[in-house]
Amino acid sequence: MDLIDSKYIGLVSSRLQKFKRVKSDLHTFRCPICGDSQKNKNKTRGYIYTVKNNTNFKCHNCGASLSFNNFLKQIDPTLHKQYTLEKFKEGHTGKNFVVEEPKFNFQKPDFFTKRKNSKNVKKLDLPKASEIPIAKMYLEKRLLNPDKFYFADKFQEWTNTQKPTFSRIVRDESRIVIPLYTREGELFGFQGRSLGPSKVKYITVILDDSIPKVYGLNEVSVDETIYVTEGPFDSTFVENAIAMCGSDILLDSLNLGDDIVYVLDNEPRNKEICNRISKLIDGGKKVVIWPTAIQQKDINDMKIAGLSVMDVLKSNTYRALEAKIKFNEWKKV
């Protein structure tokens, strides 16, 4: 770990409840952004970790993910000024890189042996996004169906009525609410998507921690090819799709069958995405490798540009050696 980062982790540690040094490049504490669990005061789901000399913060309760630089700026602006000055003196650029999240050795339990008819899903006590002009306009501009989502005028305040999450509400804001259902149609969590610029674009709240953070389980059929996209919005443009609401999702425990195609964003210069695609190929998974002629970075942008998304996916799905060859060509773009 960078010596300056290590120094300032020590300095800010007194501000972090239940702070604990697990090892030299990993620290845990109660998340100061959401307040962590309100039921169990010993829960520590905030992490500061290092990957390839980049120090980052991640909360596995609210989903907040920041560089250590931005985390420190939010927690202690005065200390942050000292930190940036020292970084400058040492010749650091101060730029933050996208890095992999830490991997933890745990096994997800086995879920959902059968898919049931889930038309009667539990509705949220919120207005549909289609009923709120600003939310409807935002979603329709992106060609999304506003009837599939909800709207919370004060997201933090409403979230606390579902699960005590935010111990201190600061600058509450309106968000699109994306419900997460089990295959039986039970609500087990939701995401809040900001309508404008925000330090945290998505906030994920899980009501049942035993269930993987996957969107669309209540609609997917295991008898057909299942496409796995990066985000819920993208999945709505794909036939029989689910979405990972977190890059560390383990799908093997969900009994979704073997005909699964992973569709990651079209960002060949993103090291995290390249690493994930490489691991999927090495693991024998089927992946979509985007044609080099496509410039849009995700499925939503491709749809807006008028592309036939399903045609592109079906004609650019690869596996094993062929996937490696196509992947090496793609990441050179």
Side-chain angles (χ1 to χ4, degrees):
M1 176 180 284
D2 180 270
L3 291 177
I4 297 176
D5 288 351
S6 181
K7 171 184 175 181
Y8 279 84
I9 289 172
L11 291 174
V12 80
S13 64
S14 62
R15 300 279 304 275
L16 306 173
Q17 297 180 30
K18 299 290 183 181
F19 179 89
K20 179 182 178 182
R21 181 179 182 272
V22 179
K23 53 184 180 179
S24 61
D25 58 354
L26 180 63
H27 306 76
T28 66
F29 46 90
R30 288 176 62 77
C31 174
I33 295 177
C34 67
D36 224 302
S37 172
Q38 300 304 299
K39 293 182 180 179
N40 187 346
K41 299 299 182 181
N42 290 318
K43 281 277 190 180
T44 55
R45 289 178 285 191
Y47 295 86
I48 291 177
Y49 62 95
T50 301
V51 177
K52 297 180 181 178
N53 295 322
N54 293 311
T55 306
N56 304 274
F57 162 77
K58 172 74 176 182
C59 173
H60 286 273
N61 183 47
C62 65
S65 180
L66 304 166
S67 66
F68 178 66
N69 178 38
N70 287 330
F71 174 74
L72 187 61
K73 184 178 182 180
Q74 187 166 337
I75 299 303
D76 192 328
T78 302
L79 195 61
H80 174 259
K81 290 180 180 179
Q82 300 172 20
Y83 169 79
T84 52
L85 181 60
E86 283 199 40
K87 282 283 191 178
F88 178 77
K89 288 180 178 179
E90 290 295 320
H92 294 275
T93 64
K95 293 182 179 179
N96 305 305
F97 299 93
V98 177
V99 298
E100 292 185 9
E101 296 178 8
K103 302 297 186 295
F104 301 95
N105 295 322
F106 64 91
Q107 293 294 323
K108 296 284 186 179
D110 192 9
F111 299 104
F112 318 130
T113 55
K114 289 185 178 180
R115 178 177 185 265
K116 299 180 180 180
N117 188 329
S118 56
K119 291 182 179 179
N120 297 318
V121 295
K122 178 182 177 182
K123 295 182 179 180
L124 297 178
D125 58 339
L126 287 170
K128 285 287 188 72
S130 57
E131 301 171 16
I132 308 299
I134 187 173
K136 182 180 180 181
M137 180 174 66
Y138 171 83
L139 292 169
E140 288 185 340
K141 186 176 180 180
R142 298 184 63 174
L143 303 184
L144 293 156
N145 181 0
D147 284 322
K148 293 180 69 70
F149 308 104
Y150 294 83
F151 178 81
D153 184 45
K154 295 182 179 179
F155 178 77
Q156 295 180 40
E157 182 179 308
W158 173 77
T159 295
N160 281 347
T161 67
Q162 307 300 306
K163 174 185 178 181
T165 302
F166 300 96
S167 60
R168 186 167 58 95
I169 296 178
V170 180
R171 297 180 182 176
D172 208 348
E173 60 183 350
S174 59
R175 285 179 177 259
I176 302 292
V177 177
I178 305 167
L180 305 178
Y181 297 110
T182 66
R183 292 174 74 187
E184 291 80 7
E186 293 295 322
L187 183 76
F188 72 88
F190 52 87
Q191 283 191 318
R193 171 59 160 91
S194 62
L195 285 164
S198 176
K199 290 182 179 179
V200 183
K201 186 181 294 185
Y202 287 93
I203 296 177
T204 304
V205 179
I206 300 300
L207 307 177
D208 185 344
D209 291 322
S210 68
I211 302 175
K213 294 181 286 186
V214 177
Y215 171 82
L217 288 173
N218 59 306
E219 297 181 343
V220 75
S221 170
V222 297
D223 298 323
E224 304 170 19
T225 299
I226 295 175
Y227 291 90
V228 184
T229 68
E230 294 220 46
F233 287 170
D234 283 344
S235 73
T236 63
F237 299 110
V238 180
E239 297 171 5
N240 204 45
I242 58 177
M244 298 179 289
C245 300
S247 61
D248 56 349
I249 299 302
L250 301 176
L251 296 181
D252 293 342
S253 63
L254 291 175
N255 289 338
L256 296 175
D258 298 323
D259 194 5
I260 298 176
V261 178
Y262 290 82
V263 188
L264 276 67
D265 285 348
N266 185 27
E267 297 185 73
R269 298 191 183 280
N270 185 314
K271 291 184 179 180
E272 180 182 0
I273 289 178
C274 286
N275 288 336
R276 287 165 61 195
I277 293 176
S278 181
K279 289 178 181 178
L280 288 169
I281 295 173
D282 290 341
K285 308 298 184 183
K286 289 191 286 188
V287 297
V288 168
I289 306 296
W290 301 104
T292 56
I294 293 181
Q295 301 298 314
Q296 293 76 22
K297 72 178 184 66
D298 60 32
I299 292 173
N300 196 172
D301 287 345
M302 294 175 196
K303 190 69 177 180
I304 292 172
L307 297 181
S308 177
V309 172
M310 286 309 304
D311 288 344
V312 174
L313 297 184
K314 290 178 179 179
S315 59
N316 292 279
T317 297
Y318 304 98
R319 192 176 194 170
L321 180 59
E322 188 178 19
K324 285 189 175 183
I325 294 171
K326 291 292 183 181
F327 172 61
N328 287 331
E329 293 174 355
W330 172 77
K331 67 181 182 179
K332 290 177 182 178
V333 175

